[in-house]
Amino acid sequence: MAQRSRLQLVSLLVFVGSFQVDVTTACGGEERASYRLEFQGLWSERSFPKSYPKYRKSAQWSTLIGLSHNDRYTMWEPGQLVSQPFKDFAEGEDPSGKQMQSEMVKLQNGSVFAAKSIGSGTGRSTTTVFAHRDYTKISFAVRLIPSPDWFVGVSGLDLCEGGSWRKDPLQLELQPWDAGTDGGFSFTSPDYVTNPQEPITQITSQRPNHPANSFFYPKLDALPPIARVTLVWQPVGDDNSAWMDKLVPVATGLDKAGEDVQMPGDSPEYVFPGIDLPTEPETVIPYDCEVTPWGSWSPCDTLCKVGLRRRFRLVIQPPKNGGRDCPDLIAVEACQAKLTKPQKRCSKARIKKEIKKYMKIQRRNYMGKKKRNRFIV
């Protein structure tokens, strides 16, 4: 009987010891953590002047969709193919990410979170992220609108670093990514299905290496950040049951059945209290005028009793942000082999006057009446 009691006591100690080991594996001894996430759009015409979408649809950001998870889940990853729900989200077929959120909910893998869409290229949106010792990584994505399948985001960011939760404010500069499902080059490209589907690649100032690419700035070594995300640790209350309720998908815009519910009213103007985060000044990219090659020469006319001919070229992209003005868009020359002195004087004056008048009209067309004189030399 005594032998049996000793065995039971040893078993109990082994059980308690194993439980204690499990607790100590929590990040920094804390089982859970909460973060305030702020997404800031930096997509402006001053920073990204080429083909900047100003009309329907103007530059804006979709709903932010994210999840805290472990190594067994990947929302998206550079060099990998995206899932069907992510494809629909990136291409705008599922703008609020309902399918992707439903997929996350079914996985029962951590906490789903979302932040409201932003109706312009610049603005802020916030949400709360909950992490657990078993789900210390976060991933999220936000779609550029309009775009073929471009997005920004974070993949597999571990909030537990060196055995402790990250408690210093974390600020990340975001660059655009191509989901690899649509082959369009510009923000407003028609739908060009990529078949077969390609892996996720980062968009840079020189890749894709094509002049039609809306992010093609060959003179830049790197693009400025198009968005910024800030994560600030915040204390979690002592009520474990209340905190665990946050893990259900109701707080993300979906109920347990995957149906829409009212999302929490996070203010887009939220400011982190007591946190002084450095902000870089807006990057301004000068964009030089781009023109087409010269067209063919016109037939000769008989102005000033001298035959003149003309050729033209068109403006592809007007100058922006102090970029170089467009060169002459008209060339005029005499098309007679020999000219008398009076004919030379007449043709020279006529050519100069005609070029000046034509360029004045064209500058008004591509720069606007109030701005055209700024670039006239």
Side-chain angles (χ1 to χ4, degrees), residues 4-18:
R4 182 177 180 182
S5 298
R6 282 195 297 271
L7 290 173
Q8 289 177 338
L9 180 60
V10 170
S11 298
L12 179 61
L13 290 173
V14 169
F15 172 77
V16 172
S18 63

Coordinates of all heavy atoms in Angstrom, one line a residue, residues 4-18:
R4 N 2.4 1.9 -3.3 CA 1.5 2.4 -4.3 C 1.3 3.9 -4.1 O 1.2 4.7 -5.0 CB 0.1 1.7 -4.1 CG -0.9 2.2 -5.1 CD -2.2 1.4 -4.9 NE -3.2 1.9 -5.9 CZ -4.5 1.4 -5.9 NH1 -4.8 0.4 -5.1 NH2 -5.3 1.8 -6.8
S5 N 1.3 4.4 -2.8 CA 1.2 5.8 -2.5 C 2.4 6.6 -3.0 O 2.2 7.7 -3.5 CB 1.0 6.0 -1.0 OG -0.2 5.3 -0.5
R6 N 3.6 6.0 -2.8 CA 4.8 6.6 -3.3 C 4.8 6.8 -4.8 O 5.2 7.9 -5.3 CB 6.0 5.8 -2.9 CG 6.4 6.0 -1.4 CD 7.8 5.5 -1.1 NE 8.0 4.1 -1.3 CZ 7.7 3.2 -0.4 NH1 7.4 3.6 0.8 NH2 7.9 1.9 -0.7
L7 N 4.3 5.8 -5.5 CA 4.2 5.9 -7.0 C 3.2 7.0 -7.4 O 3.4 7.7 -8.4 CB 3.7 4.5 -7.6 CG 4.8 3.4 -7.5 CD1 4.2 2.1 -8.0 CD2 6.0 3.8 -8.4
Q8 N 2.1 7.1 -6.7 CA 1.1 8.1 -7.0 C 1.7 9.5 -6.8 O 1.4 10.5 -7.5 CB -0.2 7.9 -6.1 CG -1.0 6.7 -6.6 CD -2.2 6.5 -5.6 OE1 -2.2 7.0 -4.5 NE2 -3.2 5.8 -6.1
L9 N 2.5 9.7 -5.7 CA 3.1 10.9 -5.3 C 4.1 11.3 -6.4 O 4.1 12.5 -6.9 CB 3.8 10.9 -4.0 CG 4.5 12.2 -3.5 CD1 3.5 13.3 -3.4 CD2 5.2 11.9 -2.2
V10 N 4.9 10.3 -6.9 CA 5.9 10.6 -7.9 C 5.2 11.0 -9.2 O 5.6 12.0 -9.9 CB 6.8 9.4 -8.2 CG1 7.6 9.6 -9.5 CG2 7.7 9.1 -7.0
S11 N 4.1 10.4 -9.5 CA 3.3 10.7 -10.8 C 2.8 12.1 -10.7 O 2.8 12.9 -11.6 CB 2.2 9.7 -11.0 OG 2.7 8.4 -11.1
L12 N 2.3 12.5 -9.5 CA 1.7 13.8 -9.3 C 2.8 14.9 -9.4 O 2.6 15.9 -10.1 CB 1.1 13.9 -7.9 CG 0.5 15.3 -7.5 CD1 -0.6 15.7 -8.5 CD2 0.0 15.3 -6.1
L13 N 4.0 14.6 -8.9 CA 5.1 15.6 -9.0 C 5.6 15.7 -10.5 O 5.9 16.8 -10.9 CB 6.3 15.1 -8.2 CG 6.1 15.2 -6.6 CD1 7.3 14.6 -5.9 CD2 5.9 16.7 -6.2
V14 N 5.6 14.6 -11.2 CA 5.9 14.6 -12.6 C 4.9 15.5 -13.4 O 5.3 16.3 -14.2 CB 6.0 13.2 -13.2 CG1 6.1 13.3 -14.8 CG2 7.2 12.5 -12.6
F15 N 3.6 15.3 -13.0 CA 2.6 16.1 -13.7 C 2.7 17.6 -13.4 O 2.7 18.4 -14.3 CB 1.2 15.6 -13.3 CG 0.0 16.4 -13.7 CD1 -0.4 16.4 -15.1 CD2 -0.6 17.4 -12.9 CE1 -1.4 17.2 -15.5 CE2 -1.6 18.2 -13.3 CZ -2.0 18.1 -14.6
V16 N 2.9 17.9 -12.1 CA 3.1 19.3 -11.8 C 4.3 19.9 -12.4 O 4.3 21.0 -12.9 CB 3.2 19.5 -10.2 CG1 3.5 20.9 -9.8 CG2 1.8 19.1 -9.6
G17 N 5.4 19.2 -12.5 CA 6.6 19.6 -13.1 C 6.4 19.9 -14.6 O 6.9 20.9 -15.1
S18 N 5.7 19.0 -15.2 CA 5.5 19.2 -16.7 C 4.6 20.4 -16.9 O 4.8 21.2 -17.8 CB 4.8 18.0 -17.3 OG 3.5 17.8 -16.7

